[in-house]
Amino acid sequence: MILDRVKKALLVRLADLRFHSGTELAAEFGMTRAAVWKQLSELQTMGLDVTAVPGRGYRATMPLELLDAERIRAELSEPARALLGALDVHDLVDSTNDILLQSSGANRPQGTVCLAEAQTAGRGRQGRTWVSPIGANVYFSLLWRFDESQRVAGLSLAVGVAVMRALERLGLAGIGLKWPNDVLLGERKLGGILVEMSGESHGACTTVIGIGLNRYLARHRGIEIEQAWTDLSQVIPTHRLPSRNLLIAFLLNELLPLLASYAATGLAPWLGEWRRFHRLQGRAATLYLADRAIEGTIEDVTDTGLLILRCKDGICRQFASGEIRLRVEARP
Ligand code: BTN
């Protein structure tokens, strides 16, 4: 979906975070002030936070920054640039993962990246919605094909490590992972990874690796999120937040080389680092599966990324999916 010309131009204008009067905007776009207001209201429903002050005009009240393919390319490392297949920048999509999973992804080259300003139906793990307002966070998906689907085991954990590396390169402290691949800042969720596959269970397959990272999410936009969440603006002043375009480039600099080598290496070279970033090692937790909840202690992961949970009966069992919640042990 393409934002209409006026909405796009309004976003560009408001990205300077200064006040713009209704009269100025109306003259620039050749429309009435009421029509400008209507356009801004529609942008607000897409996630734009804007304040209107009588006598001064409109001002974006969020660190709005539009996606810029050239800026992203300019920040790519040599290896990442060589591995990038295509960089598709969209205004508004249902879900960047869906774009690449649907038939439109079938003819896209290896290493295609699909970026969006906003998602209307962003998806998270466990059937959750990924809140994706316009212009301030990161939402993208990456397409990578594997000759043998078995080679993909554990990939989502390795992707978590790549995200950690990118965030560390940006100087971010206090980050961590929660099995299988929640991205944490402190104890709260900063981002998520959704790896989806199409193809045979034995044979060639296409993977789509979707990444969402909260750079700035206004409190009122996050009220429907069930998990404890956070964004980068909680630890970095808004005017010093890393650029969205730079964040994306840093993530691609880590992710593309990882994908290129993964079929040959598997998870093994990433496991040590994954364990270092995992926040829940040794913690008492409950694992929620579709039909039951299992209490235990988080022991480790296997060399293909399965969770090892020591259950109440003392036996260690392995799990491929589920949602962990920490348990607060009762005092003796
Ligand atoms: C999670 O629940 O932790 C995974 C969240 C993944 C969100 C990203 S945003 C870009 C891509 N498109 C989607 O619809 N989902 C992923």
Side-chain angles (χ1 to χ4, degrees), residues 166-226:
L167 295 179
E168 276 196 334
R169 277 185 195 275
L170 283 161
L172 202 67
I175 49 174
L177 293 168
K178 175 184 165 197
W179 182 88
N181 48 24
D182 281 1
V183 176
L184 302 181
L185 179 60
E187 298 268 309
R188 295 177 160 263
K189 186 157 170 170
L190 175 73
I193 296 160
L194 183 65
V195 177
E196 297 183 292
M197 272 170 68
S198 67
E200 305 297 319
S201 56
H202 294 273
C205 74
T206 298
T207 57
V208 171
I209 297 110
I211 300 197
L213 207 66
N214 297 331
R215 176 174 164 272
Y216 175 89
L217 192 59
R219 301 296 99 186
H220 67 101
R221 303 245 174 236
I223 43 180
E224 70 205 60
I225 303 177
E226 295 161 16

Side-chain angles (χ1 to χ4, degrees), residues 95-97 119 122-125 130 140 182 189 192-193 211-212:
S95 150
T96 53
N97 266 34
Q119 298 182 115
R123 292 187 291 110
R125 289 179 60 243
W130 191 259
F140 74 87
D182 281 1
K189 186 157 170 170
I193 296 160
I211 300 197

Side-chain angles (χ1 to χ4, degrees), residues 303-332:
D303 56 10
T304 55
L306 303 182
L307 178 75
I308 305 175
L309 188 72
R310 183 177 294 280
C311 300
K312 288 251 157 172
D313 58 8
I315 296 174
C316 282
R317 296 188 174 84
Q318 299 179 2
F319 297 91
S321 64
E323 181 75 23
I324 297 176
R325 286 202 210 131
L326 286 180
R327 259 179 313 119
V328 182
E329 294 287 12
R331 287 173 192 273

Side-chain angles (χ1 to χ4, degrees), residues 19-68:
F19 276 103
H20 296 275
S21 75
T23 311
E24 166 203 328
L25 295 172
E28 180 170 352
F29 301 123
M31 50 178 29
T32 63
R33 283 164 53 193
V36 167
W37 172 240
K38 184 165 175 288
Q39 295 285 336
L40 282 172
S41 313
E42 285 169 15
L43 281 170
Q44 279 177 302
T45 64
M46 296 175 197
L48 177 72
D49 287 314
V50 65
T51 47
V53 176
R56 299 193 74 184
Y58 305 104
R59 185 173 77 87
T61 48
M62 62 194 286
L64 180 64
E65 183 200 356
L66 296 184
L67 297 173
D68 180 343

